[in-house]
Amino acid sequence: MDAVIVITITLTLLVLFLLSGLYIHSVLFACGIIGIILLEGFDILPGLLGNEPFNRVASYTLTTIPLYVLMAQFILKADIVKDIFYLVHKVSRGKNGALGVLTMIIGGLLGAVSGSGTATAASLGQVAVPELRRHGYSGPLAGAIAAAAGSLSGVIPPSIILILYGVATETPIGSLFIGSVIPGILCMLVFIAVMLVYYKMEKKQHVAQDEVAATVEEAHYVSVPRLITVIFISFLVMAVIFVGIYSGLFTPTEAGAVGSFVALLAALVLGKVNFNFIKYSVIETLRLTGMVLIIMIGAQIFGRFISLSLIPRKLIAMLEPIMDTPALVLIVISVVLFIMFMFIEGAAVILMSIPVLLPIINAMQIDILWFGVFVGVICTIGLLTPPVGLSVYAVAGVSNIRLEPIFRIGMVFALAALVVVCGLMILFPELATYLPNSMDS
């Protein structure tokens, strides 16, 4: 059968299966198998479905995923997030604008110690949204702040998205982590600027300041010794990840293991460790890790179809007229990825798009590490956009705020970051490459 017809049939099925609500790993696996059979027949399947799926996930590099997820679970279930926000609430007393700024900064720091955007957004939705609303922020703006702060873990290391990109492209994960620091901070600054503009607009409209009676202070009192312990633990975990990797003391996998151990010790010191603590931390780690590995297997089969169908070569031929202008091609890729992240979970987008995009990036001689950080930024943005903005769903679920108004404000956060951060990265690639290059030297 003609390759163009097969590609059309397979991509049509992909869209239909996604719209029907099937799991993404099933969709990728089924579409990959159907496309390969139509192209090559059944004879290729035994070799394809033999050891390759196992070899794909039996990778030492992938051990970073359960380690960082486990570290995130220990930190979240030890109530360290609530304790840190209690401190933020105390520091910003009487300064309503500062409370929003500090909430965004805390979201970035929590992303740096947890790697889980959805979990961070849900935690901030529980503890930050009520306090933000009491200090004059509308419900939708408070929800959007929590969602944006949580989404920062998509680019601020240790990001699961960056780990998957590193595995898919054989790029050093430690370099990706270090390279994403400056773009991650830029995303945070853009979110803060948008938040302040919205807050000033709402202040002029005299938004009621007594929407929520409950406060973090009433619900969650923290003693001074515990606060000191929590602050020390947070900085220690970040030091293990950033300083350890940057100095070469730890590999990314070792940093995840040490970070998990430090988080467990912290939970012990804070008196949170019991049977349920261990049980739920391990179950959640297994669930998330299993989900990622199954998606990887499906994406590998789909990726093989992409290779056999020569889609990358056809796309390069289509883009030939603008290949001499890499910035224009990157803008096109940004828009395509932005739309994909709007509809599909981030890990699946990385694993299904990289086989297509990598040949184009190589053809334009663009730095693979830079492109990984660039994709991480777009993934961060995708966590805020409808209809699959996972950070927004997490916040809405725990705060009982309607999705639509949060998404409306979240889209403004997302578009601002897309234009400013992605634009600056295209104009100044050193934003992502300077720190990794200095680490290598």
Side-chain angles (χ1 to χ4, degrees):
M1 191 179 293
D2 183 68
V4 175
I5 297 174
V6 173
I7 292 169
T8 304
I9 292 172
T10 306
L11 295 183
T12 302
L13 287 174
L14 178 73
V15 173
L16 291 175
F17 288 160
L18 287 173
L19 291 175
S20 69
L22 291 175
Y23 288 115
I24 184 66
H25 57 80
S26 303
V27 172
L28 293 175
F29 187 85
C31 291
I33 292 292
I34 292 169
I36 289 169
I37 290 173
L38 292 176
L39 281 175
E40 302 289 333
F42 287 92
D43 294 341
I44 196 175
L45 290 184
L48 186 66
L49 300 178
N51 293 329
E52 284 199 32
F54 172 78
N55 293 335
R56 177 63 171 168
V57 298
S59 166
Y60 172 74
T61 309
L62 287 175
T63 56
T64 50
I65 294 176
L67 289 171
Y68 284 117
V69 172
L70 184 62
M71 180 178 69
Q73 295 307 314
F74 286 158
I75 288 170
L76 293 167
K77 287 178 170 52
D79 285 338
I80 290 174
V81 177
K82 292 182 180 179
D83 296 343
I84 290 176
F85 191 79
Y86 176 85
L87 178 64
V88 167
H89 164 63
K90 284 290 189 184
V91 169
S92 62
R93 180 174 292 282
K95 302 169 186 159
N96 295 345
L99 182 65
V101 172
L102 289 172
T103 301
M104 201 70 74
I105 293 172
I106 289 300
L109 295 177
L110 289 173
V113 298
S114 77
S116 173
T118 306
T120 300
S123 298
L124 289 173
Q126 287 176 315
V127 298
V129 169
E131 191 64 17
L132 288 168
R133 295 180 72 178
R134 194 181 74 84
H135 281 74
Y137 294 79
S138 68
L141 179 57
I145 291 170
S151 73
L152 288 169
S153 64
V155 66
I156 291 180
S159 164
I160 302 300
I161 295 299
L162 294 178
I163 293 172
L164 291 175
Y165 178 88
V167 172
T169 61
E170 299 182 359
T171 305
I173 292 172
S175 299
L176 284 168
F177 280 0
I178 299 302
S180 64
V181 170
I182 295 175
I185 293 172
L186 279 175
C187 277
M188 187 193 305
L189 292 176
V190 170
F191 287 165
I192 288 173
V194 173
M195 180 271 299
L196 288 174
V197 170
Y198 261 102
Y199 177 69
K200 295 292 184 187
M201 289 167 58
E202 288 192 346
K203 200 173 179 182
K204 288 180 181 177
Q205 294 170 5
H206 304 290
V207 176
Q209 299 198 8
D210 55 353
E211 293 183 50
V212 177
T215 71
V216 171
E217 186 175 6
E218 293 167 352
H220 188 73
Y221 172 76
V222 184
S223 65
V224 173
R226 182 181 170 99
L227 274 180
I228 294 171
T229 305
V230 166
I231 293 169
F232 174 75
I233 290 162
S234 301
F235 280 106
L236 182 60
V237 171
M238 285 188 287
V240 166
I241 295 170
F242 292 110
V243 180
I245 293 175
Y246 188 81
S247 66
L249 185 62
F250 302 128
T251 65
T253 303
E254 291 165 349
V258 175
S260 297
F261 181 67
V262 170
L264 179 60
L265 288 180
L268 277 169
V269 171
L270 296 172
K272 293 291 184 178
V273 177
N274 52 34
F275 176 74
N276 283 334
F277 177 91
I278 299 295
K279 174 186 171 184
Y280 289 118
S281 296
V282 172
I283 287 174
E284 192 67 13
T285 300
L286 290 173
R287 188 182 69 81
L288 290 173
T289 305
M291 178 196 74
V292 171
L293 296 183
I294 291 174
I295 290 174
M296 289 192 73
I297 291 172
Q300 184 209 23
I301 304 298
F302 187 75
R304 178 59 67 90
F305 160 70
I306 294 293
S307 300
L308 291 172
S309 64
L310 303 178
I311 288 178
R313 193 178 298 177
K314 291 178 171 63
L315 285 176
I316 290 173
M318 287 174 58
L319 294 172
E320 191 86 44
I322 59 172
M323 287 291 275
D324 292 334
T325 313
L328 191 56
V329 177
L330 286 171
I331 290 171
V332 173
I333 291 174
S334 302
V335 173
V336 171
L337 286 173
F338 180 71
I339 294 171
M340 289 180 72
F341 280 119
M342 286 175 67
F343 291 93
I344 305 172
E345 198 272 332
V349 172
I350 295 293
L351 294 169
M352 67 190 291
S353 65
I354 290 305
V356 179
L357 296 178
L358 199 57
I360 298 173
I361 297 303
N362 286 328
M364 293 191 299
Q365 299 181 332
I366 291 173
D367 191 312
I368 301 298
L369 186 148
W370 176 90
F371 186 67
V373 178
F374 185 75
V375 170
V377 171
I378 299 176
C379 177
T380 294
I381 295 165
L383 288 169
L384 296 172
T385 52
V388 193
L390 294 180
S391 285
V392 175
Y393 277 101
V395 171
V398 298
S399 64
N400 295 318
I401 301 172
R402 288 175 59 244
L403 279 170
E404 292 81 2
I406 301 180
F407 269 132
R408 275 198 295 272
I409 299 176
M411 277 296 290
V412 178
F413 279 95
L415 290 172
L418 182 69
V419 172
V420 176
V421 181
C422 291
L424 287 175
M425 285 187 68
I426 291 172
L427 292 173
F428 307 104
E430 295 80 9
L431 290 172
T433 58
Y434 173 74
L435 288 179
N437 290 339
S438 66
M439 181 175 70
D440 294 337
S441 61

